Amino acid sequence: MAAPLGLHLEFGGGAELLFDGVKNHHVALPGQSDPWDMKQLLAWIRGNMLKERPELFMQGDTVRPGILVLINDADWELMGELEYQLQDQDNVVFISTLHGG
Amino acid sequence: MCQVEEDYNGLECKQEKIPVPTLDRKCVKCKEGTAALIIRVSDAFCRSCFKEYFIHKFRAMLGKNRVIFPQEKVLLAVSGGAASCSMLSQVIEGLSRDAPKKLRFLPGIIYIDDGGACGRSQEERQRSVDQLKSIFTHTGFPYFIVPLEQVFVLPSSVLVPVTPDPDPSSPSYKHAVDQYIREHKLAEEDEPSAAARLRVEDSYPPEHKLALESLFSSLNTLTAKEDMLHTLRQHLILHVARENGFSKVMMGESCSRLAVKLLSNIALGRGAALASDTGFSDPRFGDVGIVRPMRDYSSKEIAAYCRMFDVPSVFIPGLETRTPDKASVQRLTEAFITNLQAEFPSTVSTIYRTSEKLHTVKPSESEHSEPASRCLLCVCALDTCVDKASAFHATLLSEQLSQIKLQDVSHDALRCAETQDASHDALRCTETQCCGTGGCSSNRVPAHQDLKTLLCYSCRLTIKDMGSVATLPAYITAEAERRRKRSLMKKEISEYLLEDAD
Ligand SMILES: [Zn+2]
Ligand SMILES: [Zn+2]
């Protein structure tokens, strides 16, 4: 049983528009049997935070191409992307590099 | 570590995305630091090497091209986005260095507030402007914040390319004749430029706000709106540059952005202008050169740099914000390229390198200074003087044929329009209303057909998507009218000369 996690999520480059225009979010993920990974976090964001137009943020079970993801200030491509296992107090940043956000 | 040349070389073999070994990977540059970012295809850089790489690339880009001279006044076009704001940060960085690496030009900043074309409220626009002002004030550079509504007080002269250094020793005959006609035309006509010199200020009368709204609502497609917005922005930036003695304008377009522009411009029929639309330097305006120093950076590098090194930027929603992928040709192209890039990381660099290989044939001196040989809107060389067996003429013909079928009555009118017949005016009056809101200085408003002959193929398509050309700002319609009269006059003169020769 994995303990609940506190995360700091940040949205930028226009991606914040999909989250009520708010850039910084502190979220608490409930405890569950397996550790939380990025794939589950994205599904959780989609279910709990993303109110409309999910296609502007997600594509399939990952983020839409053109959105840069940094985990603790490092490229998520170096961290295992969807498989990265989240730690308590991790900082996850999503920045849209698309024109117009 | 001069790496600009090799940045995108030798990567073609690695077309597909390579799974990256994860966690605690070392930096490819210093081999010590923990990798923080993957750039290009699969090179992982640590934080400090990435910073060094980013800063070096800017200086290398300017050094390689050698187009900006010491003490030259350079206007930085800043939109608030990450690309132009990181360009601003690189200029600040470059000016703060010690000799001999110090940049030596004199920067200014311009922001065009296009909120009026994008349906933003006055309060939203003011909030963005205030945020930008605090960034700009911090730099200590002179800055201009210009609402797009100012296009309604632009002078027509902004549409005329100015030859930078005409060689006075051997002026061509044609040039001399043109000069003569121009001077005489100026004397007899009231040029709006004399009366309406643009005052750069961040306020505008409510009638210009309405005029801008009706201009953009008369454009039927998002594709045409985006194209028109781009054109008007360019004109305003050019005008402010000329009025204030800036001889270069820096645009912050990244290579990701330029790859989208390259492909969408082909789709929009701007193939003939690709080299100047996407190259490092764009000479179309003559006296004011456009340069694109960010064209070596991907949008990922830019976004990561801004986040990691706290470059302030302001997100300002535009025409494309929150639109679906298929909303416009430009949006669709962007979605196409970003999706392809996710699977094949050398997509953007491959397109980008293609754009580097494009060159335009330099127009001759006389052609260069001849405004009628340039598109009225985008100021590129006209691509419509091609022979009869071209795709362009085939398109024209099929368009004419389809119009005849649809409305038989306009058949004669269509032909008259081509020959500038007097009866054409009757048609025009039924088509257009006077543009009272735009502060029109000309009593005659040109119709679609009048404008078309003065435009390149692509700008014709944009105008075709317009409900009424009467909503165009006065500086465009006035210049169209001037060119039309001038070509009539030239025709009369040439007829006279022919008779004389017989
Ligand atoms: Zn390093
Ligand atoms: Zn054009």
Side-chain angles (χ1 to χ4, degrees):
Chain A
M1 180 77 186
L5 294 180
L7 298 179
H8 176 226
L9 305 182
E10 191 183 321
F11 302 93
E16 67 269 29
L17 289 189
L18 301 167
F19 300 89
D20 292 330
V22 180
K23 285 189 164 191
N24 293 291
H25 297 255
H26 289 276
V27 301
L29 301 181
Q32 57 173 32
S33 50
D34 299 316
W36 282 89
D37 61 18
M38 278 300 286
K39 190 174 172 174
Q40 291 167 321
L41 173 66
L42 289 172
W44 186 88
I45 289 175
R46 181 184 211 145
N48 295 278
M49 298 177 71
L50 205 51
K51 297 285 184 269
E52 43 161 351
R53 313 288 297 278
E55 76 279 5
L56 294 181
F57 187 68
M58 296 192 60
Q59 187 164 302
D61 56 8
T62 188
V63 290
R64 179 189 186 195
I67 294 182
L68 170 67
V69 185
L70 301 174
I71 302 171
N72 300 328
D73 247 1
D75 196 340
W76 80 325
E77 289 181 45
L78 288 161
M79 316 284 280
E81 299 186 36
L82 291 172
E83 275 105 67
Y84 173 77
Q85 290 198 354
L86 289 154
Q87 312 294 315
D88 194 34
Q89 301 310 312
D90 269 353
N91 181 63
V92 187
V93 183
F94 302 90
I95 304 170
S96 174
T97 66
L98 298 164
H99 202 230
Chain B
M1 62 166 261
C2 204
Q3 62 203 39
V4 161
E5 286 299 326
E6 72 214 31
D7 272 349
Y8 292 99
N9 287 342
L11 300 171
E12 278 143 299
C13 48
K14 303 188 220 161
Q15 281 295 307
E16 281 193 55
K17 187 165 175 169
I18 303 153
V20 185
T22 51
L23 293 178
D24 296 327
R25 201 165 141 201
K26 294 290 175 220
C27 167
V28 295
K29 197 116 232 150
C30 65
K31 319 273 191 253
E32 281 173 16
T34 307
L37 188 74
I38 295 183
I39 52 171
R40 308 185 218 151
V41 177
S42 63
D43 289 344
F45 277 47
C46 72
R47 233 180 117 89
S48 68
C49 289
F50 171 57
K51 186 175 188 183
E52 202 182 322
Y53 156 89
F54 197 94
I55 291 171
H56 172 78
K57 203 146 80 164
F58 190 79
R59 196 178 60 236
M61 187 47 121
L62 293 182
K64 187 173 80 174
N65 290 284
R66 291 173 192 278
V67 291
I68 294 173
F69 304 108
Q71 304 308 308
E72 189 168 10
K73 285 179 81 179
V74 178
L75 190 59
L76 314 173
V78 176
S79 70
S84 55
C85 285
S86 62
M87 173 174 82
L88 179 60
S89 80
Q90 291 312 297
V91 170
I92 296 168
E93 204 282 334
L95 291 166
S96 69
R97 259 182 245 126
D98 297 330
K101 288 178 174 177
K102 189 177 156 72
L103 296 177
R104 291 168 190 284
F105 58 81
L106 307 171
I109 306 171
I110 184 168
Y111 166 68
I112 306 289
D113 171 14
D114 59 12
C118 307
R120 303 186 74 215
S121 73
Q122 194 49 51
E123 296 72 42
E124 288 174 308
R125 293 173 69 175
Q126 195 53 52
R127 209 175 311 136
S128 305
V129 164
D130 290 343
Q131 284 173 291
L132 283 168
K133 266 188 185 163
S134 84
I135 295 177
F136 295 167
T137 312
H138 206 70
T139 65
F141 303 155
Y143 65 85
F144 306 88
I145 291 178
V146 187
L148 192 65
E149 282 80 356
Q150 294 276 7
V151 290
F152 293 101
V153 289
L154 274 181
S156 290
S157 59
V158 75
L159 298 171
V160 182
V162 179
T163 320
D165 292 303
D167 186 5
S169 56
S170 61
S172 73
Y173 175 68
K174 192 165 173 288
H175 184 267
V177 171
D178 287 352
Q179 191 64 41
Y180 179 78
I181 295 174
R182 195 176 304 141
E183 279 162 12
H184 282 247
K185 287 298 284 179
L186 276 173
E188 68 187 58
E189 259 181 17
D190 268 357
E191 267 288 292
S193 63
R197 270 172 73 95
L198 174 70
R199 278 178 57 218
V200 181
E201 48 185 58
D202 43 15
S203 64
Y204 47 86
E207 63 263 30
H208 290 168
K209 179 178 179 285
L210 292 174
L212 189 71
E213 279 164 12
S214 64
L215 167 59
F216 276 83
S217 62
S218 82
L219 290 157
N220 298 319
T221 59
L222 183 62
T223 303
K225 284 186 214 279
E226 285 179 37
D227 192 61
M228 181 59 71
L229 178 56
H230 175 79
T231 303
L232 298 179
R233 273 177 56 94
Q234 289 278 95
H235 293 165
L236 270 182
I237 292 171
L238 175 67
H239 180 74
V240 172
R242 280 184 179 156
E243 288 284 283
N244 296 280
F246 290 92
S247 47
K248 291 285 185 321
V249 172
M250 275 189 182
M251 310 287 275
E253 291 155 302
S254 66
C255 76
S256 314
R257 196 68 221 136
L258 287 169
V260 173
K261 199 173 171 187
L262 185 101
L263 290 196
S264 58
N265 280 5
I266 292 172
L268 295 172
R270 294 196 54 82
L274 278 187
S276 44
D277 280 345
T278 62
F280 173 78
S281 107
D282 177 351
R284 84 183 67 177
F285 300 118
D287 57 340
V288 177
I290 309 285
V291 291
R292 303 186 174 96
M294 301 305 286
R295 72 190 298 281
D296 249 4
Y297 297 90
S298 72
S299 55
K300 178 181 176 180
E301 287 168 19
I302 288 169
Y305 185 86
C306 289
R307 177 65 180 64
M308 289 177 177
F309 304 103
D310 299 317
V311 176
S313 64
V314 181
F315 177 75
I316 297 167
L319 281 173
E320 291 187 322
T321 301
R322 301 184 77 178
T323 55
D325 285 353
K326 288 175 186 166
S328 70
V329 170
Q330 295 89 335
R331 279 285 293 113
L332 186 60
T333 313
E334 183 184 40
F336 171 70
I337 291 177
T338 13
N339 278 297
L340 206 56
Q341 173 79 10
E343 295 296 318
F344 303 97
S346 44
T347 301
V348 165
S349 60
T350 305
I351 303 171
Y352 164 85
R353 270 179 288 121
T354 309
S355 78
E356 279 197 319
K357 294 187 176 86
L358 297 167
H359 296 282
T360 25
V361 182
K362 272 254 168 70
S364 69
E365 174 75 14
S366 56
E367 265 178 84
H368 197 84
S369 57
E370 167 63 78
S373 69
R374 301 303 197 90
C375 173
L376 180 70
L377 287 180
C378 71
V379 202
C380 275
L382 281 181
D383 53 357
T384 49
C385 302
V386 286
D387 72 277
K388 291 272 184 222
S390 64
F392 172 67
H393 280 284
T395 316
L396 273 190
L397 183 66
S398 94
E399 188 186 308
Q400 284 174 5
L401 290 175
S402 63
Q403 281 179 358
I404 291 164
K405 264 189 179 174
L406 278 171
Q407 34 189 149
D408 243 345
V409 237
S410 67
H411 181 194
D412 288 321
L414 187 81
R415 266 194 295 176
C416 297
E418 298 259 312
T419 52
Q420 307 288 359
D421 200 75
S423 67
H424 181 209
D425 284 315
L427 170 81
R428 188 180 304 118
C429 293
T430 62
E431 267 190 13
T432 56
Q433 313 91 32
C434 190
C435 56
T437 46
C440 186
S441 62
S442 158
N443 50 8
R444 184 185 157 282
V445 181
H448 279 79
Q449 206 61 40
D450 274 357
L451 270 176
K452 261 187 159 184
T453 55
L454 303 170
L455 300 176
C456 72
Y457 177 66
S458 180
C459 292
R460 287 181 186 201
L461 294 180
T462 300
I463 292 300
K464 210 171 123 186
D465 274 345
M466 247 187 140
S468 163
V469 290
T471 54
L472 283 171
Y475 75 100
I476 294 175
T477 48
E479 174 65 13
E481 178 61 8
R482 198 183 68 85
R483 287 189 195 181
R484 197 188 64 87
K485 280 192 184 159
R486 192 152 162 268
S487 83
L488 271 182
M489 187 195 248
K490 272 180 101 171
K491 214 171 123 196
E492 280 164 22
I493 292 174
S494 70
E495 275 164 12
Y496 176 75
L497 287 176
L498 263 179
E499 274 176 355
D500 203 39
D502 284 339

